[in-house]
Amino acid sequence: MKKERLFYLDFIRAIAVVAILLTHFNAVYLISYPPEAWDKIVVTYKVCNLYIGDFGVALFFIVSGAALMHVYDEKLELKTFYKKRFLAIYPMFWLAYFVGFIYLFYVNKGFDTTIPKRNIIYTIIGFDGYLTGIVPNFYILGEWFLGCIVLIYLVFPLLRWGVKKHPIGCAIIAFLLYIWSVWIYNGTLNRVELITTRLPEILFGMYFVKYIKKINIPVLLASVCVLVLNTIFAPSWLASFQTTYVGIASFCVLVFISRYLDFRAVRKSCACISKYSYAIFLVHHVIIDRMTATFDLATLTRTGSYILFITCCVVIALFAKILYVANDRCMLWFQKVKNEA
C-alpha cells in the first residue's frame, strides 16, 4: 500500500535542491574570481557559517533517511527493496551519462585517452564521482553524492533493524563511528564523503519519522539558538562537525515552518521539485558549467548574475523533465519487451 506523502519532506527536499543549484552556480565566482567579484553571488554562499553546499547535502541525507523510514517502517523485503533502489538510480544515471558523454565528446573533440578504459566500471556502478580524487575515471556527472547514496541504500536494511530493534545501541555505535571519521580518519577519501560521517544525518531522519514525528516549541527554540549562535560566533572548528548539527537544527526548524506553509500551491510546487530532484541533480552541474562558460562573468552585473542563474534553472528544469520522461519511456519499453519475451 502506497504511503501518504509527507509535505515537510517535499518542502525540505525542495530547499535542498535550490541550495545545491546555488552552490554550483556561485562556485564559479568562488573558484575563478577574487573576492571583489563575490558581490555578484546569488543570494548567499553560506548558511549559518556553513558552506551552502554542505547545508544542502546535509538536508538531503536527513530527508533520505526520513523518507526511507517512512516508506519501509512496517515492512521491508530485501529483494524488492534493492530492485526498486536499483531501478530508481541506475537507468536514469546511465541515460544521462550517455547523453552527457556524447555531448562533451563532441564539444571537446574527444575524451581523455590516458584513463584506463577498464575504469569505466566506476561509472557503470555510479562511483566515478565518489572516487574521482582517488583513481582516474570518466566522471562527468553525478558527483560524490551519488556513490554515497548507493552505500546508504546498501546499509539501510541494517540501519532500519538497528533503529527499530536497538535504537539506543544503534545510536551509540553510529556516534562512535562518526567520531572516528570526523576526528581520527586520515585516509585518501574526503571525510565528508564517508558514510560514517553522514550516519548522524541519515539516522536522525530515520529516528525522527519513527519516534519524534513533530517539532515542539522547546525543540524549535533550541534549534534556532544553535543556528543563531553558529552564525554570530562563526566557529572555526571542523566543517564536517558543523554540517551535522547545523543540518539537523535546520531540519527541525524547517519541519516546524512547513506546517504553516502547507497550502495547495506550495504543496504542489514542492512535490514537483521533489519528483524531479534526482533528474535535476544529474543534469544541473554540466548545464551550469556550460552556460556560465559562455559569459564574461567579470563584466556581468549583479542583476545580470541573477538573470543568468534563473535562466540556468529554467534550462535545468527543461532537461530534467526531458530526462525523467525519457527514462520512464525507456523503462516501459524494456518492461514491454520483457513481457513479450
Side-chain angles (χ1 to χ4, degrees):
M1 187 174 181
K2 192 173 182 179
K3 285 290 191 79
E4 177 189 0
R5 294 190 71 91
L6 298 177
F7 168 66
Y8 69 83
L9 293 183
D10 282 342
F11 173 65
I12 298 174
R13 187 183 284 112
I15 291 175
V17 168
V18 174
I20 296 302
L21 293 177
L22 286 170
T23 298
H24 290 119
F25 182 84
N26 290 333
V28 179
Y29 290 108
L30 296 173
I31 295 172
S32 305
Y33 292 87
E36 303 86 70
W38 291 3
D39 64 324
K40 302 173 188 177
I41 284 174
V42 175
V43 185
T44 183
Y45 70 96
K46 275 192 173 185
V47 177
C48 301
N49 194 48
L50 188 68
Y51 182 53
I52 193 170
D54 294 332
F55 170 78
V57 169
L59 291 181
F60 263 124
F61 279 124
I62 298 171
V63 168
S64 296
L68 287 170
M69 197 66 189
H70 174 62
V71 174
Y72 295 103
D73 180 22
E74 297 175 7
K75 181 181 179 181
L76 186 149
E77 200 280 314
L78 287 178
K79 182 179 178 180
T80 303
F81 172 77
Y82 285 125
K83 180 182 178 180
K84 289 184 70 173
R85 294 303 99 201
F86 177 89
L87 294 176
I89 289 180
Y90 285 111
M92 191 181 293
F93 170 67
W94 291 334
L95 179 59
Y97 187 90
F98 175 76
V99 175
F101 181 85
I102 294 300
Y103 169 72
L104 292 176
F105 176 81
Y106 174 77
V107 169
N108 299 326
K109 309 306 177 187
F111 62 93
D112 191 346
T113 58
T114 64
I115 301 173
K117 292 182 177 60
R118 65 178 179 274
N119 287 8
I120 191 65
I121 186 63
Y122 299 122
T123 295
I124 293 173
I125 63 175
F127 277 79
D128 49 3
Y130 194 74
L131 301 173
T132 191
I134 300 176
V135 294
N137 58 62
F138 298 96
Y139 159 69
I140 58 174
L141 54 83
E143 303 180 62
W144 68 268
F145 185 80
L146 178 59
C148 201
I149 281 292
V150 172
L151 293 176
I152 289 170
Y153 288 159
L154 288 174
V155 302
F156 173 73
L158 178 62
L159 296 178
R160 173 184 176 272
W161 174 81
V163 169
K164 288 173 67 72
K165 302 297 183 181
H166 306 281
I168 297 177
C170 180
I172 292 172
I173 293 172
F175 178 72
L176 293 175
L177 290 172
Y178 174 75
I179 295 298
W180 169 80
S181 60
V182 172
W183 279 285
I184 300 175
Y185 171 79
N186 193 29
T188 307
L189 198 66
N190 192 321
R191 63 166 55 93
V192 303
E193 300 172 9
L194 295 173
I195 189 173
T196 45
T197 303
R198 319 312 305 212
L199 278 179
E201 298 156 356
I202 302 160
L203 285 172
F204 180 80
M206 295 173 67
Y207 280 109
F208 183 86
V209 166
K210 179 64 179 175
Y211 300 110
I212 304 172
K213 302 184 185 301
K214 292 183 179 181
I215 297 297
N216 56 31
I217 296 299
V219 172
L220 171 68
L221 294 177
S223 299
V224 170
C225 284
V226 168
L227 300 179
V228 170
L229 291 175
N230 211 64
T231 303
I232 293 173
F233 292 103
S236 58
W237 50 58
L238 288 174
S240 297
F241 178 53
Q242 292 189 60
T243 298
T244 303
Y245 65 77
V246 168
I248 290 173
S250 298
F251 179 85
C252 292
V253 172
L254 291 172
V255 168
F256 186 88
I257 291 173
S258 69
R259 71 175 71 169
Y260 300 102
L261 296 175
D262 193 1
F263 306 112
R264 186 169 181 270
V266 179
R267 179 179 283 270
K268 289 186 68 174
S269 298
C270 292
C272 181
I273 295 174
S274 292
K275 177 181 178 180
Y276 296 107
S277 60
Y278 182 51
I280 291 171
F281 166 71
L282 290 176
V283 305
H284 80 282
H285 209 165
V286 173
I287 291 173
I288 289 174
D289 282 348
R290 302 310 301 180
M291 289 187 66
T292 55
T294 63
F295 282 78
D296 181 3
L297 299 182
T299 59
L300 192 67
T301 64
R302 191 165 187 269
T303 301
S305 184
Y306 273 77
I307 294 174
L308 178 57
F309 174 71
I310 293 171
T311 305
C312 286
C313 289
V314 171
V315 175
I316 289 166
L318 174 63
F319 276 89
K321 173 72 173 181
I322 293 171
L323 175 60
Y324 187 94
V325 172
N327 179 69
D328 268 2
R329 292 185 177 178
C330 286
M331 297 301 293
L332 288 173
W333 181 80
F334 278 118
Q335 187 62 45
K336 181 180 179 181
V337 171
K338 180 181 176 182
N339 293 338
E340 293 175 350

